[in-house]
Amino acid sequence: MASVNKVILIGNLGKDPEVRHLEGGVAVARFPLATSESYKDKSGQRVEKTEWHNIVVWRGLAEVAEKYVRKGQSVFIEGKIRTNQYQDKDGNQRYSTEIVADSLEILSPKGSNEGGNTAEQQSAALHQSSTHQTGKTSAPAGVAQNDEPDDLPF
Amino acid sequence: MASVNKVILIGNLGKDPEVRHLEGGVAVARFPLATSESYKDKSGQRVEKTEWHNIVVWRGLAEVAEKYVRKGQSVFIEGKIRTNQYQDKDGNQRYSTEIVADSLEILSPKGSNEGGNTAEQQSAALHQSSTHQTGKTSAPAGVAQNDEPDDLPF
Amino acid sequence: MASVNKVILIGNLGKDPEVRHLEGGVAVARFPLATSESYKDKSGQRVEKTEWHNIVVWRGLAEVAEKYVRKGQSVFIEGKIRTNQYQDKDGNQRYSTEIVADSLEILSPKGSNEGGNTAEQQSAALHQSSTHQTGKTSAPAGVAQNDEPDDLPF
Amino acid sequence: MASVNKVILIGNLGKDPEVRHLEGGVAVARFPLATSESYKDKSGQRVEKTEWHNIVVWRGLAEVAEKYVRKGQSVFIEGKIRTNQYQDKDGNQRYSTEIVADSLEILSPKGSNEGGNTAEQQSAALHQSSTHQTGKTSAPAGVAQNDEPDDLPF
DNA sequence: TTTT
DNA sequence: TTTT
């Protein structure tokens, strides 16, 4: 069915990425990303409103996030919206929405890694192959296929 | 600050829009929108995964949604992600994510209004003026300014 | 360097795709796509303005376009802008801008193939792997690598 | 008709904006914007390919570009593709494609104005009201309506 | 003509 | 919890 689920964000990391390396070698990184807009309220006061997004990146992109992306930095992200369902401790159905990124570009080198990275690193343009995300028909033999398993905790 | 929060969706309405007319004459419409992707799982089976998005539209766009958009129809939506915080009955902090649409285009005439609408209606291209959403500096006198109040239930 | 070149179009094909199969088996399809907007001019008259885009699709996506996409149909396209330079017969530098699509979704079944395609075909969601478009590092041995050669006529 | 014509670019200005103030007080700014992608060619060499886009901004956004945007800077742009037709001196039909921006955000302060602008200026987030671009139904009396006239040179 |  |  004709369907599109696309998100484009430019914002700043609220924390360093948290990276987990799953069995099979697959990496997952997560970090909060702030976007903000400012507008005038009814009384004419300028107000800043910040939106927080839970970003998730997988595999190679997660490894890059782990190495080059830090709290405070500005990044461009392209991805899709994903809402996970879970039961809370009282058995209530809960929802948690995140952005699964398949492209990430570092826009500015700020935050806690000023000492280190090179211009080359800062400008890394990274795109998750959609082949890996969906069909995987062209994935070479020997490559772990259990990316983004449905039974992962989130 | 350099910030972008943009969502583009093509999907189908899960229900007819629910419209409320607020004091001041402002209309709000809400409806669930499904996007789906199909991929092969580890065993090579084709799997269809559906994502549900809570769409919110305001003012003129809400009135158009009320008139011309129905369950089952396919629409194109452009908007932004917004996560609302609230307390549940046990006092726990909860989050609810929705898509605030500022553009909506009807892609296909399906669902419950087969009898009625014309091609003109079906192809309505609707864009929320960003002037109204933010600065409102150019809004003519007499127009209600209490759009999208922060104290609304959601 | 932080760089993004992204185009999103929804429009109708002005002609059937023209497909060429290059040496090496690579397919290229081209077709014109119309987007239109309507607005009121200074005298209050409603005016419709149509924009024509030259769409190019490569490889598997070209083959799909050849099979399932026809004049008159409405499609969603995601891609990038590419401007080619060439000399005209008088030796003047000329520019030709096209949209290289890496994703294509059929939104409506119109045009010359009413008799044939199934719902499955009409709703084909097709995404060009960015791996193939750029690095090709994961391309399996034996696959032609000369996709999108720079010396192609356009 | 259901139609979308959307462009999203992040790139660097090749030159300072050229601004013209039309009769009626409407401003137009133009500048070239480079986006680049790097990929490996058939021989495994890393190649950088730069795409140049002709950006056009109108009215308030043009004035902002005039004040705050300079050669070398990185900007985010959202807009639409527009191809203008004209006759060259030999009477041949020619086409010129440009991006009409309705949103512009400065991502990095580089280039020729290092001495001057403030952080506030550098982070200007600017969005063209779509009301002004199309219907103008809500434009206050006394405002020049001849924005983006069709008879402009380009 | 930019940037890395 | 970021940034301006």
Side-chain angles (χ1 to χ4, degrees), chain B residues 31-72:
Chain B
F31 54 85
L33 189 79
T35 58
S36 49
E37 58 177 331
S38 94
Y39 59 95
K40 291 206 186 89
D41 68 10
K42 303 159 201 177
S43 60
Q45 291 285 107
R46 183 145 291 278
V47 181
E48 174 112 351
K49 187 168 191 312
T50 295
E51 196 67 41
W52 286 98
H53 310 270
N54 299 312
I55 309 297
V56 188
V57 295
W58 288 85
R59 289 173 292 277
L61 214 45
E63 287 156 5
V64 174
E66 182 171 29
K67 283 190 202 143
Y68 304 124
V69 178
R70 289 294 174 274
K71 175 180 174 176

Side-chain angles (χ1 to χ4, degrees), chain A:
Chain A
M1 197 207 48
S3 205
V4 171
N5 175 357
K6 179 160 289 290
V7 175
I8 286 171
L9 302 173
I10 293 178
N12 299 277
L13 278 83
K15 295 183 185 173
D16 285 357
E18 281 183 18
V19 188
R20 293 194 309 137
H21 294 272
L22 307 180
E23 68 296 343
V26 177
V28 204
R30 292 171 183 279
F31 54 85
L33 189 79
T35 58
S36 49
E37 57 178 330
S38 94
Y39 60 95
K40 291 206 186 89
D41 68 10
K42 303 159 203 178
S43 60
Q45 290 285 105
R46 181 146 292 278
V47 181
E48 173 112 352
K49 186 168 192 310
T50 295
E51 196 66 43
W52 286 98
H53 310 272
N54 300 311
I55 310 297
V56 188
V57 295
W58 288 85
R59 290 174 291 276
L61 214 46
E63 287 156 4
V64 173
E66 182 171 30
K67 281 189 202 145
Y68 303 125
V69 179
R70 290 293 173 275
K71 175 180 173 174
Q73 279 183 323
S74 173
V75 298
F76 168 92
I77 275 176
E78 190 179 333
K80 63 181 170 193
I81 302 174
R82 182 169 191 166
T83 298
N84 296 297
Q85 273 182 58
Y86 66 96
Q87 310 262 117
D88 68 10
K89 54 247 164 179
D90 305 320
N92 300 115
Q93 196 73 344
R94 298 291 174 205
Y95 300 89
S96 165
T97 298
E98 60 194 22
I99 307 304
V100 183
D102 45 50
S103 175
L104 187 161
E105 298 217 22
I106 302 175
L107 297 177
S108 79
K110 290 172 193 161
S112 55
N113 62 346
E114 299 89 351
N117 55 5
T118 66
E120 179 58 33
Q121 291 165 353
Q122 290 162 10
S123 66
L126 305 153
H127 303 273
Q128 198 88 54
S129 161
S130 62
T131 299
H132 280 175
Q133 290 198 313
T134 53
K136 292 153 204 156
T137 51
S138 69
V143 164
Q145 291 298 312
N146 57 342
D147 352 338
E148 213 175 315
D150 282 328
D151 50 351
L152 270 187
F154 47 83

Side-chain angles (χ1 to χ4, degrees), chain C residues 56-126:
Chain C
V56 189
V57 296
W58 288 86
R59 291 174 290 278
L61 214 45
E63 287 157 5
V64 172
E66 182 172 28
K67 282 188 202 146
Y68 304 122
V69 180
R70 289 295 174 272
K71 175 179 173 175
Q73 278 183 322
S74 173
V75 297
F76 168 92
I77 274 176
E78 190 178 333
K80 63 181 170 192
I81 302 174
R82 182 169 192 166
T83 298
N84 297 296
Q85 272 183 61
Y86 65 97
Q87 310 261 117
D88 69 10
K89 55 250 161 175
D90 304 321
N92 301 114
Q93 197 74 343
R94 297 292 174 204
Y95 300 89
S96 165
T97 297
E98 61 195 22
I99 306 305
V100 182
D102 46 49
S103 175
L104 187 161
E105 298 216 22
I106 302 175
L107 297 177
S108 79
K110 292 173 191 159
S112 54
N113 63 344
E114 299 91 351
N117 55 6
T118 67
E120 179 58 34
Q121 292 166 355
Q122 290 163 11
S123 67
L126 305 153

Side-chain angles (χ1 to χ4, degrees), chain B residues 74-76 103-109 118-127, chain C residues 9-14 32-39 46-53 71-76 107-108 110, chain D residues 1-5:
Chain B
S74 172
V75 297
F76 169 91
S103 174
L104 185 162
E105 299 217 20
I106 302 175
L107 298 177
S108 78
T118 68
E120 180 56 34
Q121 292 166 352
Q122 290 162 11
S123 66
L126 305 154
H127 303 273
Chain C
L9 302 173
I10 293 178
N12 298 278
L13 279 83
L33 189 79
T35 58
S36 49
E37 58 178 331
S38 94
Y39 59 95
R46 183 146 291 278
V47 181
E48 174 113 352
K49 187 168 193 309
T50 296
E51 196 66 43
W52 286 97
H53 311 270
K71 175 179 173 175
Q73 278 183 322
S74 173
V75 297
F76 168 92
L107 297 177
S108 79
K110 292 173 191 159
Chain D
M1 197 206 47
S3 205
V4 172
N5 175 357

